[in-house]
Every structure is written in C-alpha cells, then in structure tokens.
C-alpha cells in the first residue's frame, strides 16, 4: 500500500481533514462570489482540487482548490471574454499548458523568479482583492464596483451588510491576536468559520427580529439538488466555438503561468513547514494541476492551484497523509449536495469580510516596510510589480517586475564588478568578476579618478574572463600613462 495512504495515520488525518474542510468551505464560497460565479462553482472547484488533484499530486500535504490570488484574473477575463463558458475554454487550455510544462520539465525554473517579484505579485493580488470586496461588504449590488459606490453612497450602502462585515472582520482580527492564539482550543477552530457562523446566526435571528432590515442583506443562493440530473443541469460547458478568439489564448497563458507559480511557491513554502522524503517533484505537480484544470474547465469550475493557506492548516492540524485532503474534498461534496439550505443563510458581506482579511494579509503594510528595508535593489522591482499589475494586469505586471529586477541586478552587478582603492599615491583597481563590454563605462569612470604621477596596479585574480573591449580600454590607458607620469604595476595585456 502507498505509504501516503497508510491507514494507521487515520487518527491524525481525520481531524486534520475536518479542520481543512472548515477553512476551505467559506473560502471556496467567498472566492466564487468574488469571481461573480454562483457558490456551487466554488464548491465544485474545491471538490475537484481536493479529490482529483490530490490523487495525482506527489505531495502528501498540499491542498488544491480555488485560490483568492486568481480572483482578479477571473474577473478581468470575464470582462474581456464576455461569458463564463468562454472562460471555461481558457481554463482548459491553461490545463493543457500546465501539462506541457510537465513534459518540458519547466517546474525547475520556479527558482529563477526573484522573491521581489513574487512578493509584489502577492501584494497586488491583496490590494485588488480589497478593492473588489469593499462594495460587497457594504452591500452594494451594482456592477460598477467602487465607482458605483462613490457615485451614490447613500443608496449603495446597506447598514445590515456593514454591521455583518464589520463584526466578521473584528472576529477575524481577534482570532489572530496573541491572547487568543495562546488558547489551545482556539487553534483548532478556524477564524473564518466563526466569522461565517456569526453571519448565518445574524441572518437566522435577524429575519425574525428585524425582517425589514435583513431584507436588504444579500446572501448566498445555492440551489437545492434532489437528483443527479439537477446537479448536471447546474454545470456550464465550455464554449468550443471560441477557439479562434486570440484573447482566449492570452488569458489561458496568464492563468497557466500565475496558477503554476502560485502552486510551486506553495510547495516551496510547505518544505519549510514539513519535510517530505523524497521531496515532491514540481514537474509531477504541474501534471496534477494541469489535469485538474482540464477537468475543472470541462465541468464548469474555476481555475485550480495549490493554496498555501489551506496547506499550512493541513500540516498544522497534524495531517500524516493524503487522506486528510481527500476527506476535505468529500465533505465539500456532501455539503454542496445535502446542506444547501444551511449554506444559503450565509450573507455575502460575511464572505467579503473573509476575503478582505485575506487581502490585507497578502498586502500588509509590514510587507512594504520589510521590502524597503532590504534596499532599493529589492524594493524597486517589488513596487514595479505591484504598480504594473494594478495598472496593466497580471501577466504584464509580472513582466514589468522581472524587467525591473533584471535592470536592478545588472546595475548592482556592474557597480560592484570593480573597485578602486588607494593608499597615498598608490592605487589598486580590483576586478571582482568576469568583465564584458558592458562594464566599459564603469571602468572608464574609475580610471578617470586616477591622478597624474600615481602608481597603479590591477588585481584580476577573481576575473577568469576579460572581454577584448575591456582590454582595449586598459591598453589605451596604459599607452597614455607614461605621458602623465603614471607608473603601471601588474597591468593586463
């Protein structure tokens, strides 16, 4: 029997699976709502990620499902493509691309993505998530988002939504404070679950006590299923006729890249929480995610990634094998099939509060301060990524961040490639690395600092290669040295 499915670990995996389910349920519903999709779509995606992807994944602890980080891409894609069915085709194509990533073993290249760009991507996702969920938390049901909210705030804001969202945010904040975390029992009860429970109780009792006030409170509308036919009738199919739309392929590439990046980064983060021997293959994880997205797009779900929040909860809850993740997927399925009436008591403002808190954690001020303290070489690419994503979109923003990091690293590399020091009238030019023609401007500025009648030597032990163009600059300086009374010592030829 597969070691990851060892039945002796059930006493650890069953409690862990229940805890992961309690965390995943409100997040799956909230992500579907934030994406403009029915709640059932979020549950469907969670079931596919929790069962299908888990069975194929090499990781024993990574939990896959709908991710808050992809909400902004899905919302933008819906506006671009015009229909959910066309987006489903893009999700399927993203799955195909991830399978291609597996075939070409592209998973190994995740280590090339600089941390400044990764942190910038997460921060931008958090900011966009906050901007999208503020109108929902305030009860605004229009399609203009913040613009519509500001145009007529008196009509847009629902007092009942504001109260529900405010209390839910207070619960989430309270659950993260140190006094609460010291209470062992509280570590087993997820804050998002309590926030959602508060929202449901507010609806149940509010409908009896203040029916007029609660009438304006938008809530989940999950259909009740009495048969398998009713389930299939809720599933939307891909728009196959959109295969010739170029935007479909652009969005598919964006989804594949961002989902793959988030998955692989989650795997990297998991290594620090729980060692696996042998470590899970990033390329096999690409195959699992690709097949999951193919199936999700075909059945009518959202894009799937491995989610670090749920994965860390799984590890911290004591999971020993994949059984905990599979159990969470089965519980999501049963909940959607048989407990729709209970889920329909959850107000949208409550789910918006969960996502607002998630967005804040992704884009916390402390993150910006930490990046600033790392220096401009780290901070500028970080800010460029954030600004690029906010202004131009996810894929373009990541490209801008990578370019900024490349320019920043190139500048630092060139600036530190050579160093000039002196002791009285003796000057030493040290080459710290191999030199190319790109280093000529820096070399010329250093040589220009050397005064007449000086003694100059070059230390080049750290440079295995010196470009002919660099040697030409050194030769030119050497030819003019005698005329300036400069004595050369250890001069390259």
């Amino acid at each position: 029997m597969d070691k990851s499915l060892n039945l002796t670990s059930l006493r650890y995996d069953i409690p862990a699976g229940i805890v992961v389910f309690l965390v995943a349920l409100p997040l799956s519903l909230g992500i579907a709502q934030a994406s403009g999709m029915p709640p059932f779509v979020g549950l469907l995606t969670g079931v596919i990620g929790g069962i299908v992807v888990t069975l194929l994944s090499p990781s024993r602890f990574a939990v896959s499902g709908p991710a808050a980080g992809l909400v902004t891409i899905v919302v933008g894609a819906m506006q671009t493509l015009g229909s959910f069915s066309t987006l489903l085709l893009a999700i399927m194509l993203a799955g195909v691309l991830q399978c291609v990533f597996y075939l070409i073993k592209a998973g190994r290249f995740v280590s090339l993505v600089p941390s400044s760009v990764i942190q910038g991507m997460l921060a931008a996702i958090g900011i966009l998530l906050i901007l999208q969920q503020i109108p929902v938390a305030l009860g605004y049901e229009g399609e203009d988002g913040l613009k519509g909210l500001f145009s007529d705030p008196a009509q847009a804001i629902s007092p009942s939504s504001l109260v529900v969202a405010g209390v839910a945010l207070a619960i989430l904040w309270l659950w993260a404070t140190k006094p609460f975390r010291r209470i062992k029992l509280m570590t087993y009860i997820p804050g998002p679950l309590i926030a959602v429970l508060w929202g449901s109780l507010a609806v149940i009792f509010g409908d009896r006590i203040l029916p007029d006030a609660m009438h304006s409170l938008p809530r989940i509308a999950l259909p009740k299923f009495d048969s398998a036919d009713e389930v299939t009738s809720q599933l939307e199919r891909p728009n196959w006729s959109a295969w010739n739309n170029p935007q479909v392929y652009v969005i598919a590439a964006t989804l594949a890249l961002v989902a793959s990046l988030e998955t692989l980064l989650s795997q990297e983060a998991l290594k620090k929480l729980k060692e696996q021997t042998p470590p899970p293959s990033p390329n096999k994880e690409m195959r699992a995610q690709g097949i999951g997205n193919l199936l999700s797009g075909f059945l009518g779900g959202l894009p799937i990634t491995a989610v670090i929040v749920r994965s860390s909860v799984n590890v911290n809850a004591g999971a020993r094998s994949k059984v905990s993740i599979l159990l969470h997927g089965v519980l999501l399925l049963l909940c959607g099939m048989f407990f729709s009436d209970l889920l329909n008591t959850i107000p949208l403002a409550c789910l918006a509060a969960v996502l607002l808190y998630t967005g804040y954690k992704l884009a916390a001020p402390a993150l910006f301060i930490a990046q600033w303290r790392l220096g401009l070489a780290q901070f500028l690419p970080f800010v460029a990524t954030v600004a690029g994503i906010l202004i131009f979109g996810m894929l373009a923003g990541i490209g801008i961040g990578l370019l900024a990091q490349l320019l920043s690293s190139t500048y630092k590399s060139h600036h530190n490639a050579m160093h000039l020091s002196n002791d009285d009238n003796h000057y030493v030019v040290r080459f710290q690395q191999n030199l190319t023609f790109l280093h000529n401007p820096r070399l010329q500025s250093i040589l220009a600092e050397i005064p007449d009648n000086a003694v100059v030597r070059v230390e080049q032990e750290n440079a295995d290669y010196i470009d002919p163009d660099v040697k030409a600059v050194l030769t030119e300086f050497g030819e003019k040295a005698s005329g300036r009374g400069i004595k050369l010592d250890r001069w390259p030829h």
Side-chain angles (χ1 to χ4, degrees):
M1 180 179 287
D2 185 346
K3 186 179 179 181
S4 66
L5 298 177
N6 192 332
L7 294 179
T8 60
S9 65
L10 281 180
R11 68 190 183 98
Y12 300 100
D13 290 324
I14 290 177
I18 294 173
V19 172
V20 174
F21 158 72
L22 295 175
V23 172
L25 176 61
L27 288 177
S28 296
L29 295 173
I31 289 165
Q33 174 258 316
S35 303
M37 298 293 113
F40 176 72
V41 173
L43 288 178
L44 171 66
T45 311
V47 170
I48 296 171
I51 298 176
V52 178
V53 176
T54 299
L55 289 172
L56 297 171
S57 171
S59 175
R60 297 201 301 273
F61 306 113
V63 183
S64 296
L70 296 180
V71 167
T72 54
I73 300 178
V74 170
V75 171
M78 285 287 292
Q79 294 174 348
T80 301
L81 300 177
S83 71
F84 182 47
S85 59
T86 305
L87 173 61
L88 292 178
L89 179 61
I91 294 172
M92 290 190 69
L93 291 172
V96 172
L97 277 174
Q98 287 181 305
C99 290
V100 172
F101 294 163
Y102 157 70
L103 292 174
I104 63 175
K105 302 185 184 305
R108 56 189 168 175
F109 295 117
V110 68
S111 59
L112 294 177
V113 180
S115 62
S116 60
V117 175
I118 295 168
Q119 298 290 352
M121 180 188 76
L122 294 175
I125 287 170
I127 293 170
L128 289 171
L129 207 54
I130 291 170
L131 295 177
Q132 288 172 355
Q133 293 308 302
I134 286 176
V136 181
L138 297 179
Y140 177 66
E141 298 186 80
E143 298 181 356
D144 295 330
L146 281 175
K147 182 180 178 182
L149 187 64
F150 286 118
S151 63
D152 193 1
Q155 295 293 325
I157 295 177
S158 164
S160 54
S161 292
L162 182 59
V163 170
V164 167
V167 174
L169 282 171
I171 290 171
L172 292 167
W173 171 79
L174 187 64
W175 233 253
T177 58
K178 288 183 178 179
F180 257 67
R181 283 186 291 181
R182 290 195 190 104
I183 305 173
K184 190 173 182 180
L185 177 62
M186 296 302 177
T187 62
Y188 294 101
I189 305 174
L193 177 68
I194 301 302
V196 169
L197 182 61
W198 141 253
S200 295
L201 292 174
V203 167
I204 293 170
F205 290 103
D207 283 340
R208 298 176 183 177
I209 301 171
L210 301 168
D212 293 335
M214 302 306 290
H215 181 71
S216 62
L217 182 64
R219 57 194 77 174
I220 283 176
L222 193 66
K224 187 174 182 179
F225 303 117
D226 294 321
S227 66
D229 291 338
E230 291 187 9
V231 175
T232 55
S233 67
Q234 291 290 321
L235 302 177
E236 194 160 347
R237 289 288 181 261
N239 178 15
W240 305 109
S241 62
W243 66 270
N244 57 352
N245 182 350
Q247 288 297 328
V248 169
Y249 297 92
V250 173
I251 289 168
T254 304
L255 285 171
L257 289 172
V258 176
S260 299
L261 188 60
E262 184 166 345
T263 292
L264 295 175
L265 292 175
S266 296
Q267 295 281 35
E268 290 297 311
L270 265 181
K271 290 179 182 178
K272 300 177 181 179
L273 296 176
K274 186 84 170 181
E275 277 297 328
Q276 296 185 60
T277 306
S281 163
N283 294 311
K284 290 182 179 178
E285 185 63 40
M286 285 295 92
R287 178 184 59 185
Q289 297 291 328
I291 293 173
N293 277 312
L294 260 172
L295 185 60
S296 186
F298 180 73
L299 293 180
L302 293 168
I304 290 173
T305 71
V307 187
I308 187 57
V309 174
R310 284 166 239 177
S311 302
S312 60
V313 167
N314 186 39
V315 169
N316 292 330
R320 297 291 181 89
S321 73
K322 289 183 179 182
V323 171
S324 63
I325 313 173
L326 293 169
L327 176 61
H328 120 277
V330 171
L331 290 174
L332 285 176
L333 177 62
L334 294 175
C335 199
M337 293 289 290
F338 303 111
F339 300 102
S340 57
D341 288 340
L342 182 61
L343 296 182
N344 286 341
T345 63
I346 300 174
L348 297 184
C350 189
L351 296 178
V354 173
L355 291 169
L356 282 170
Y357 189 70
T358 302
Y360 173 79
K361 288 195 294 183
L362 289 172
L367 173 63
F368 287 79
I369 295 171
Q371 293 295 311
W372 171 258
R373 287 175 176 171
L374 291 174
L376 283 178
Q378 184 84 0
F379 186 71
L380 290 179
F382 168 77
V383 171
T385 305
V386 173
I389 291 174
L390 293 178
I391 298 171
F392 301 108
M394 187 65 67
L395 201 58
I398 291 173
I400 291 171
L402 287 171
L403 179 61
Q405 182 64 71
L406 181 63
L407 292 174
S408 177
S409 298
T410 301
Y411 170 78
K412 291 292 290 184
S413 174
H414 281 56
H415 187 76
N416 297 325
M418 53 194 77
H419 177 70
L420 178 67
S421 61
N422 72 292
D423 181 10
D424 194 18
N425 205 35
H426 289 72
Y427 287 77
V428 178
V429 180
R430 292 185 178 88
F431 295 161
Q432 313 279 26
Q433 63 185 54
N434 295 341
L435 304 180
T436 70
F437 69 95
L438 295 174
H439 294 97
N440 275 351
R442 172 69 176 159
L443 176 60
Q444 290 170 344
S445 67
I446 282 179
L447 295 178
E449 296 178 26
I450 299 173
D452 295 345
N453 303 314
V455 178
V456 186
R457 67 183 296 179
V458 170
E459 294 185 356
Q460 54 180 351
E461 290 80 6
N462 294 326
D464 295 325
Y465 172 77
I466 298 179
D467 194 276
D469 286 331
V470 175
K471 291 181 179 180
V473 172
L474 294 170
T475 300
E476 182 181 357
F477 181 87
E479 291 173 349
K480 298 178 180 179
S482 59
R484 297 174 54 193
I486 294 176
K487 182 180 178 181
L488 303 179
D489 180 21
R490 289 192 186 178
W491 199 254
H493 298 289

